[in-house]
């Protein structure tokens, strides 16, 4: 058998089309078949050249083109020149559009964008876990957002919520007996957010926490004087940082996250 050529054409990277073609070729042991990928096609001139080459080499054109004008041109030009084509994704998009009653976006490269978005989210979630509760202060300088607050101000769930928005978050607990990490004062203050809460609300939350653990709710952890001492320390630290402070006293995690997201969006940070 003489050497065969299959042109893989796409208005994006062309990886999907090439994988499908390779799978098909493997059924013939891949012998004497050359696959030539032509990605990021944006104009009919390029398509006309590919059709000419395919005709000259008695080749097949396999393609994933989602822009309707380019897809139509390729099919018509190939038909006119008696070149065999195989539309890998078009028919499926058409059938899905009919079934869903919706018009497809006709935007190249969406799969890649979705993949990138997914991996950024996973990376952010792993970051939040690794640098939760001040475990490693080195994460402070690498974070997109740094949350600062006393215990039970929803730092961890807020970190995870923001991580699902693809933001790398480190959170730092503040206690009077422990000096804050030096990195906290080196990070740009715009990245830091102090989580403020009223003494009474915090007292209530901590008492409930102790009860859920089967412990005495009158322990020092829930003592109102101790709580006030911690909150004074918090005010001192965030004042030194000069960062924005969000009152989380009666707010759900989603509400606090919305405030932070709006703040960084207004600053054009991400």
């Amino acid at each position: 058998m003489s050497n065969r050529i299959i042109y893989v054409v796409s208005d994006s990277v062309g990886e999907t089309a090439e994988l499908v073609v390779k799978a098909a070729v493997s059924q013939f042991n891949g012998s004497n078949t050359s696959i030539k990928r032509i990605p990021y096609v944006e104009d009919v001139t390029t398509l006309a050249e590919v059709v000419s080459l395919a005709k000259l080499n008695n080749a097949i054109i396999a393609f994933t083109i989602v822009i309707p004008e380019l897809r139509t041109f390729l099919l018509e030009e190939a038909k006119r020149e008696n070149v065999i084509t195989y539309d890998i994704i078009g028919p499926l998009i058409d059938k899905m559009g009919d079934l869903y009653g919706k018009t497809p976006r006709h935007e190249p490269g969406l799969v890649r964008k979705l993949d990138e978005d997914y991996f950024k989210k996973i990376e952010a979630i792993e970051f939040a876990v690794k640098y939760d509760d001040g475990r490693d202060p080195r994460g402070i300088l690498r974070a997109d957002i740094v949350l600062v607050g006393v215990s039970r101000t929803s730092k961890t769930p807020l970190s995870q919520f923001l991580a699902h928005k693809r933001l790398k978050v480190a959170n730092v607990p503040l206690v009077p007996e422990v000096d804050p990490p030096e990195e906290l004062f080196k990070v740009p203050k715009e990245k830091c957010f102090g989580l403020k809460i009223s003494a009474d609300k915090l007292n209530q939350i901590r008492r409930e926490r102790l009860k859920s653990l089967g412990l005495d709710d009158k322990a020092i952890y829930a003592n109102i004087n101790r709580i006030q001492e911690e909150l004074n320390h918090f005010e001192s630290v965030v004042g030194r940082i000069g960062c924005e402070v969000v009152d989380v006293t009666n707010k759900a995690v989603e509400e606090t996250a919305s405030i932070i997201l709006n703040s960084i969006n207004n600053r054009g940070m991400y």
Side-chain angles (χ1 to χ4, degrees):
M1 179 185 293
S2 60
N3 186 56
R4 296 290 188 181
I5 298 175
I6 299 177
Y7 292 98
V8 173
V9 182
S10 177
D11 46 16
S12 184
V13 180
E15 288 179 341
T16 301
E18 185 170 5
L19 285 171
V20 172
V21 170
K22 284 182 176 179
V25 169
S26 69
Q27 297 299 311
F28 301 93
N29 298 321
S31 59
N32 300 312
T33 301
S34 175
I35 300 172
K36 298 184 181 295
R37 194 201 307 184
I38 303 172
Y40 302 114
V41 174
E42 298 178 341
D43 57 84
V44 297
T45 302
T46 302
L47 292 176
E49 291 175 355
V50 175
V51 171
S52 295
L53 286 171
K55 182 178 182 179
L56 179 65
N57 295 298
N58 193 27
I60 295 173
I61 298 176
F63 65 94
T64 51
I65 293 179
V66 298
I67 299 175
E69 296 80 9
L70 296 181
R71 179 185 171 198
T72 299
F73 176 85
L74 177 56
L75 290 170
E76 292 178 349
E77 182 73 4
K79 183 178 181 180
R80 188 173 67 84
E81 295 293 342
N82 294 316
V83 171
I84 297 172
T85 61
Y86 184 74
D87 187 348
I88 293 172
I89 198 171
L92 180 57
I93 290 176
D94 292 342
K95 289 185 181 297
M96 291 173 71
D98 292 339
L99 179 63
Y100 301 157
K102 294 183 178 180
T103 302
R105 292 171 61 177
H106 300 306
E107 183 180 340
L110 287 180
V111 169
R112 186 181 259 320
K113 289 179 183 178
L114 287 171
D115 286 346
E116 289 176 357
D117 182 71
Y118 171 78
F119 286 116
K120 283 181 180 179
K121 182 185 294 185
I122 295 301
E123 184 180 5
I125 292 171
E126 291 176 344
F127 187 96
V129 172
K130 183 175 182 178
Y131 298 109
D132 180 46
D133 208 30
R135 290 176 184 168
D136 186 346
R138 291 176 298 180
I140 294 172
L141 298 177
R142 296 178 52 206
D144 297 320
I145 294 175
V146 180
L147 303 177
V148 183
V150 301
S151 175
R152 310 312 295 178
T153 49
S154 299
K155 295 186 299 300
T156 295
L158 183 55
S159 295
Q160 286 295 324
F161 188 95
L162 292 170
H164 279 80
K165 304 296 182 182
R166 300 172 301 283
L167 292 168
K168 295 179 180 178
V169 184
N171 72 72
V172 181
L174 297 179
V175 291
E177 293 78 15
V178 180
D179 291 333
E182 295 180 4
E183 289 84 355
L184 197 56
F185 305 102
K186 295 178 181 179
V187 70
K189 64 180 182 180
E190 292 79 14
K191 290 187 175 184
C192 289
F193 291 86
L195 305 181
K196 178 180 179 179
I197 190 170
S198 72
D200 289 341
K201 183 67 174 180
L202 185 56
N203 175 252
Q204 177 188 342
I205 292 172
R206 288 189 176 183
R207 288 177 63 186
E208 292 300 321
R209 175 60 173 167
L210 289 170
K211 287 180 182 178
S212 71
L213 296 173
L215 302 174
D216 185 358
D217 67 349
K218 294 181 176 59
I220 188 66
Y221 180 66
N223 180 277
I224 192 68
N225 293 324
R226 168 63 184 184
I227 286 174
Q228 193 58 62
E229 181 185 1
E230 290 185 37
L231 294 178
N232 290 340
H233 178 63
F234 164 80
E235 294 289 350
S236 174
V237 172
V238 296
R240 183 179 167 192
I241 297 171
C243 64
E244 182 175 342
V245 175
V246 180
D247 191 335
V248 302
T249 301
N250 294 306
K251 290 185 177 66
V253 168
E254 294 83 357
E255 294 177 273
T256 305
S258 179
I259 292 171
I260 292 173
L261 290 170
N262 285 337
S263 181
I264 63 176
N265 286 336
N266 290 337
R267 297 172 192 168
M269 291 173 60
Y270 304 107

